[in-house]
């Protein structure tokens, strides 16, 4: 007998599995994975966010890999299926350990086990396709495989909440949602959940039953969400959100109009109510299909284009690199904007330079280790972007991380970086982190502190524009320069971490792929850029 969580009563040593049980295990596996995706928010992404291409590319790669597994072209399902059986108590630990260390050839004749493997692959295809289509469409896509769609309907939709579950409140939902996210997301991401839940509880009351929220109530709240001022917790301390909205109106003459943020809040609430649905607290999710209205009658497409990160213009870059930090300053901390005799080559100096000529993200640069700067057998210097740590940093405030699996890549050094003396600077550095001074501080990652420091550089250069000209603008400038150099999209995506570089290795071979990447990077030019003072003497 299979339980809802996938465990099995009467487990025995070895694999005692029928074809019917194989189907039950596969359905249980699908439902568990689907729930985890819902809880982690993997089915939702803001199309207007600058990292949306990364998320969509990652979802597409996962779907492609699932198809390869199902087709038999690339298959690792046997060991995964054994682990799933062991996790559910169908396979004893001793039997699992024994099978996992053998050649597993006997399992090829086990009809029920082979059926389980194929159904797990089928479930992975359905899960990854749902993820890709949901991210691409901006709403939860239906389950494409009727076997799992029917199981999802029977397990969740047809179940009627009991009277006890009807009494679950918004406060209960808030607690449950944050508990499920505690070990899955960063502190900064967790902080983003507070405002939508605060708006929900202030509007309806923390003791309001979750099951009594209907679509009309959701629409009432949606009308208010865009009016919540930016940084409301800091600027309107102790005020309720509705009071803060009125204070903002009194000060600025109108309510805030933060429709993109409102859509993010709606996505979080939709995800929370999906959790309530899975827990059988409600029969339907009232937030499905609801969105914040577009601002001022403008189309979302044009509104988004005007509010996304912009690349730096040449005059912006010239103003930035003319700062004392790059020509001579007092020090690279509080004296970085004062003219002085020192050029201090630490993270505040190198981060903008590396970003402009490599397209790397802020955290990717700040977490670099000396061992990440390497040379290929044919003499090409490159940066290895990875989450692998080469040193022991016990007690460190942060660990290396990458945004997606495609972000693990190799970026050849641009000729300008060679001229600027980056390689000898690295060779003279101590082993370990290249920028140990770029500590995370109170945050989880070094960008938490550096983003404020870089903003001070933009303000000093008189080019700061909130949410338009930021550090990410280097990445846009680099991609524009690649495009301007005639670099094809496949190569651009591999360099920027939007496409898995392994696919290029398969196509060109590891050597030719690195040479091809180096040729592409060398085509990056910024006509009119005045940076001769950066050249190594």
């Amino acid at each position: 007998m299979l339980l809802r969580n996938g465990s099995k009563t009467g487990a025995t040593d070895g694999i005692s599995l029928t074809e019917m049980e194989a189907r039950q295990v596969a359905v249980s596996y699908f439902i568990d994975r689907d729930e985890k995706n819902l809880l982690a928010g993997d089915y939702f992404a803001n199309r207007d966010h600058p990292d949306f291409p990364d998320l969509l590319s990652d979802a597409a790669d996962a779907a492609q890999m699932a198809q390869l597994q199902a087709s038999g072209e690339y298959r690792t399902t046997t060991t995964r299926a054994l682990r799933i059986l062991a996790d559910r108590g169908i396979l004893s630990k001793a039997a699992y350990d024994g099978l996992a260390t053998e050649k597993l050839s006997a399992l090829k004749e086990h009809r029920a086990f082979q059926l389980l493997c194929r159904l797990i692959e089928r479930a992975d295809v359905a899960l990854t396709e749902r993820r890709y289509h949901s991210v691409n469409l901006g709403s939860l896509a239906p389950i494409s495989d009727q076997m799992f769609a029917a199981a999802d309907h029977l397990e969740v939709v047809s179940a009627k909440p009991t009277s006890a579950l009807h009494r679950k409140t918004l406060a209960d939902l808030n607690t449950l949602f944050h508990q499920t996210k505690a070990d899955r997301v960063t502190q900064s991401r967790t902080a983003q959940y507070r405002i939508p839940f605060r708006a929900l509880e202030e509007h309806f009351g923390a003791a309001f039953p979750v099951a009594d929220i209907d679509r009309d109530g959701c629409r009432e709240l949606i009308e208010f969400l865009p009016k919540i001022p930016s940084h409301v917790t800091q600027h309107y301390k102790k005020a309720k959100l509705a009071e803060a909205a009125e204070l903002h109106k009194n000060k600025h003459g109108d309510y805030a109009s933060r429709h993109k943020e409102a859509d993010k809040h709606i996505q979080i609430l939709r995800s929370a109510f999906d959790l309530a649905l899975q827990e059988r607290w409600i029969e339907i999710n009232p937030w499905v299909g609801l969105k914040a209205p577009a601002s001022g009658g403008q189309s979302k497409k044009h509104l988004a284009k005007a509010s996304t990160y912009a690349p730096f213009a040449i005059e912006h870059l010239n103003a930035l690199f003319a700062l004392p930090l790059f020509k001579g300053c007092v020090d690279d901390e509080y004296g970085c904007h004062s003219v002085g005799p020192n050029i201090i080559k630490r993270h505040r100096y190198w981060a903008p330079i590396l970003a402009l000529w490599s397209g790397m993200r802020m955290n990717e640069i700040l977490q670099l280790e000396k061992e990440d700067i390497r040379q290929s057998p044919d003499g090409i210097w490159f940066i290895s972007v990875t989450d692998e740590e080469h040193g022991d940093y016990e007690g460190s405030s942060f660990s290396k991380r990458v945004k997606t699996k495609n972000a693990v890549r190799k970026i050849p050094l641009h000729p300008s970086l060679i001229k600027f003396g980056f390689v000898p600077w690295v060779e003279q550095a101590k082993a370990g982190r290249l920028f140990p001074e770029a500590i995370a501080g109170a945050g989880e990652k070094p960008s938490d502190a550096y983003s404020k420091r870089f903003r001070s550089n933009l303000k000093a250069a008189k080019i700061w524009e909130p949410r338009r000209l930021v550090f990410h603008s280097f990445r846009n400038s680099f991609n524009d320069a690649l495009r301007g150099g005639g670099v094809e999209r496949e190569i651009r995506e591999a360099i920027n971490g939007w496409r898995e570089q392994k696919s290029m290795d398969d196509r060109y071979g590891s050597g030719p792929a690195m040479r091809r990447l180096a040729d592409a990077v060398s085509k990056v030019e910024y006509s009119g850029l005045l940076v001769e003072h950066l050249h190594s003497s």
Side-chain angles (χ1 to χ4, degrees):
M1 168 184 164
L2 273 167
L3 305 178
R4 177 63 181 86
N5 63 3
S7 62
K8 185 178 186 293
T9 60
T12 60
D13 289 343
I15 300 181
S16 177
L17 184 72
T18 67
E19 292 183 19
M20 178 61 72
E21 286 175 328
R23 291 184 175 87
Q24 290 176 313
V25 171
V27 169
S28 176
Y29 167 77
F30 176 89
I31 292 174
D32 287 348
R33 286 282 308 277
D34 193 48
E35 286 179 354
K36 289 179 181 178
N37 288 347
L38 285 168
L39 294 176
D42 290 342
Y43 289 139
F44 304 102
N46 185 352
R47 181 174 289 276
D48 299 329
H49 195 278
D51 292 328
F52 178 81
D54 292 340
L55 299 174
L56 187 61
S57 175
D58 190 43
D61 286 346
Q64 183 180 29
M65 179 58 70
Q67 290 283 358
L68 289 173
Q69 293 262 13
S71 69
E73 186 172 340
Y74 175 78
R75 187 166 273 168
T76 61
T77 318
T78 299
T79 53
R80 286 201 299 128
L82 288 172
R83 192 180 309 116
I84 290 167
L85 291 176
D87 289 343
R88 283 157 171 76
I90 298 172
L91 182 67
S92 71
K93 185 179 186 303
Y96 171 75
D97 290 341
L99 286 168
T101 56
E102 295 177 0
K103 295 182 179 179
L104 306 175
S105 56
L107 293 176
K108 293 181 180 179
E109 306 302 323
H110 197 304
R111 182 178 177 85
F113 180 77
Q114 290 300 317
L115 174 63
L116 173 62
C117 291
R118 303 295 80 78
L119 290 176
I120 288 172
E121 292 162 358
R122 182 172 164 182
D124 287 339
V125 170
L127 287 161
T128 54
E129 285 183 351
R130 189 180 204 196
R131 178 186 170 197
Y132 173 77
H133 291 304
S134 295
V135 172
N136 193 34
L137 294 172
S139 60
L140 187 62
I143 300 169
S144 58
D145 192 311
Q146 290 305 305
M147 173 181 175
F148 302 113
D152 187 61
H153 176 78
L154 292 172
E155 287 284 337
V156 178
V157 178
S158 64
K160 301 296 183 182
T162 66
S163 58
L165 293 179
H166 264 295
R167 290 197 295 270
K168 293 295 185 180
T169 67
L170 295 179
D172 293 327
L173 180 59
N174 191 347
T175 300
L176 179 65
F177 185 78
H178 281 82
Q179 286 175 344
T180 61
K181 295 291 186 180
D183 299 327
R184 299 171 181 268
V185 298
T186 63
Q187 292 178 4
S188 58
R189 179 62 175 163
T190 301
Q192 296 175 13
Y193 302 146
R194 294 175 188 152
I195 294 300
F197 273 99
R198 184 178 162 189
L200 189 68
E201 292 186 2
E202 288 184 7
H203 185 79
F204 294 101
F208 195 85
V210 176
D212 288 350
I213 301 289
D214 58 19
R215 290 178 73 81
D216 288 339
C218 294
R219 290 189 180 98
E220 287 179 9
L221 186 58
I222 288 173
E223 288 291 322
F224 169 71
L225 290 176
K227 299 178 183 179
I228 299 175
S230 175
H231 303 293
V232 64
T233 304
Q234 293 84 357
H235 297 328
Y236 302 95
K237 294 180 180 179
K238 299 182 179 180
K240 291 186 176 181
L241 296 178
E243 295 170 347
E246 294 299 328
L247 291 171
H248 181 279
K249 180 183 178 182
N250 293 338
K251 182 177 180 180
H252 299 281
D254 202 354
Y255 291 114
S257 182
R258 306 179 71 231
H259 294 264
K260 285 176 62 178
E261 289 300 317
D263 265 331
K264 294 178 184 178
H265 297 330
I266 293 169
Q267 288 178 13
I268 292 168
L269 293 175
R270 185 188 302 126
S271 179
F273 276 73
D274 274 332
L275 175 59
L277 186 65
Q278 300 291 345
E279 292 293 321
R280 318 273 178 84
W281 293 6
I282 56 178
E283 295 183 37
I284 61 171
N285 186 339
W287 291 93
V288 172
L290 298 181
K291 292 184 178 182
S295 174
Q298 299 181 43
S299 73
K300 185 176 181 181
K301 178 178 178 181
H302 294 102
L303 191 67
K305 187 174 179 63
S307 60
T308 52
Y309 300 146
F312 286 120
I314 291 300
E315 55 267 27
H316 297 147
L317 294 171
N318 283 335
L320 179 65
F321 289 115
L323 290 175
L325 177 66
F326 301 100
K327 287 192 168 183
C329 59
V330 174
D331 57 55
D332 66 344
E333 294 181 351
Y334 296 108
C336 68
H337 302 315
S338 300
V339 175
N342 304 310
I343 297 179
I344 304 168
K345 297 184 177 182
R346 300 200 300 173
H347 76 292
R348 294 192 74 166
Y349 178 89
W350 281 118
I353 295 172
L354 287 170
L356 185 59
W357 277 278
S358 74
M360 292 172 66
R361 300 177 177 91
M362 185 188 297
N363 267 323
E364 292 174 345
I365 293 171
L366 298 178
Q367 68 187 12
L368 282 173
E369 296 174 274
K370 181 174 182 177
E371 293 78 6
D372 293 326
I373 314 303
R374 306 177 185 179
Q375 193 172 26
S376 69
D378 53 347
I380 299 174
W381 283 97
F382 66 92
I383 300 172
S384 175
V385 181
T386 176
D387 58 358
E388 177 186 357
E389 294 200 324
H390 304 283
D392 182 8
Y393 306 103
E394 185 177 354
S396 175
S397 57
F398 74 94
S399 300
K400 288 173 77 172
R401 65 180 71 184
V402 291
K403 196 167 187 67
T404 68
K405 71 173 184 178
N406 291 341
V408 176
R409 62 199 190 278
K410 298 172 183 177
I411 308 175
L413 290 187
H414 190 278
S416 291
L417 291 174
I418 303 296
K419 292 179 182 178
F420 298 158
F422 181 64
V423 171
W425 179 83
V426 170
E427 291 175 332
Q428 294 170 12
K430 296 180 180 179
R433 300 201 192 282
L434 283 179
F435 307 114
E437 72 282 359
I439 58 174
E444 291 186 309
K445 47 191 185 295
S447 63
D448 293 338
Y450 177 69
S451 58
K452 298 177 183 177
R453 297 167 187 164
F454 182 71
R455 185 162 61 244
S456 75
N457 292 348
L458 294 178
K459 289 182 177 180
K462 296 181 171 49
I463 59 175
W464 181 59
E465 187 177 341
R467 299 182 180 276
R468 289 284 287 162
L469 295 179
V470 296
F471 193 88
H472 199 89
S473 297
F474 286 123
R475 190 162 163 82
N476 290 357
S477 295
F478 180 78
N479 191 45
D480 282 352
L482 285 173
R483 188 185 296 109
V487 177
E488 59 266 43
R489 181 172 181 173
E490 178 187 28
I491 307 298
R492 296 202 313 269
E493 290 179 345
I495 293 171
N496 285 311
W498 296 327
R499 176 188 292 266
E500 189 175 12
Q501 284 194 1
K502 182 181 177 182
S503 63
M504 286 190 57
D505 292 345
D506 293 340
R507 185 170 176 180
Y508 301 110
S510 59
M514 176 60 75
R515 173 57 61 188
R516 191 174 179 86
L517 292 174
D519 290 344
V521 169
S522 68
K523 293 179 181 179
V524 169
E525 295 182 357
Y526 301 104
S527 179
L529 185 61
L530 306 176
V531 289
E532 289 78 7
H533 56 285
L534 299 180
H535 290 192
S536 179
S537 57

